[in-house]
Amino acid sequence: MARPTRLKRALVIDDDAAMREVLQGYVEPEGFEVFVASSHAEAEEVLTNVDLDIVLLDLVLQEESGLDFLQRIRADSSSLPVIILTGYASVETAVKAMRAGASDFMTKPVDRVVLGMRMERAIELEQARRLANTDGLTGLYNHRVFHERLGEEVTRAQRYHHALSVLVCDLDRFKHFNDTYGHPAGDRALIEVARIFRRSIRSSDIVARYGGEEFAVILPEATTQEAEILAERVRERIAETGFHPESTVQELTISCGVASLCDDETAQHLVERADQALYDAKGRGRNAVAVASAH
């Protein structure tokens, strides 16, 4: 017998008890398990412990604006659909909400049928975006998105004279790990490495699966020293992680190349220097971090 699929999960954030009840009554019949929160503190508890599919966020709460809280949601998740609800309708407010990362914007009182359609559309659009932009195994950004975002960050850094650094990292002897423990174990290891990267970077950083066992990170406004510290943190955490229960030795390590943007440098040249630094790290015996010289 096939396992039943779980209900989609929605979080309703509104400090008006009557409105929370109305929205819950609208959303549950659409096939959702509904969580409710009257404050951002309650909402954060749900966001931390529940795998959500969508959030309905009141724009005006007593303690903090909905847009400020939306930015905090986006710092932890770039992909969770968020629909802003408000009783104050204006084009300016809608534009601010969308620029802050809202998936959609609706004014109260909301129509039950329209709300259901908007929620379904927001979830479908996010699923399509994920398929196009992320690696299917690790959930990290893919190679294409990495280069798109790097081009944007290089332009921004050069325009405002900000620092920008890049890491290119490669798991050491990963083929041997796959040959020894099998490809399913290799896939599990890649997933765990992706988790380590996510837990190690800042919310403003962009991490991607660059190739088979290669990862890359864009570090906006990070100096060479700051980027090297992050690379060492990732290297140490991977070296300390046991990736296969049958092994009694250190199974996987990672080597990283660090490069920081020079004046008038192209994104391609920046990556090439980080890649050369990676080869230097490999040449030092692997499980190392090397910094590219400025060109």
Side-chain angles (χ1 to χ4, degrees), residues 178-200:
N178 264 342
D179 291 343
T180 301
Y181 300 113
H183 288 281
D187 286 348
R188 289 193 294 272
L190 289 170
I191 291 169
E192 181 58 29
V193 168
R195 288 197 189 102
I196 291 171
F197 270 100
R198 285 196 193 94
R199 293 168 184 164
S200 302

Side-chain angles (χ1 to χ4, degrees), residues 277-293:
L278 169 62
Y279 280 107
D280 293 343
K282 295 280 191 181
R284 295 178 186 176
R286 301 179 176 86
N287 191 22
V289 172
V291 177
S293 58

Side-chain angles (χ1 to χ4, degrees), residues 16-23:
D16 185 314
M19 181 56 65
R20 291 197 303 274
E21 185 176 350
V22 167
L23 291 172

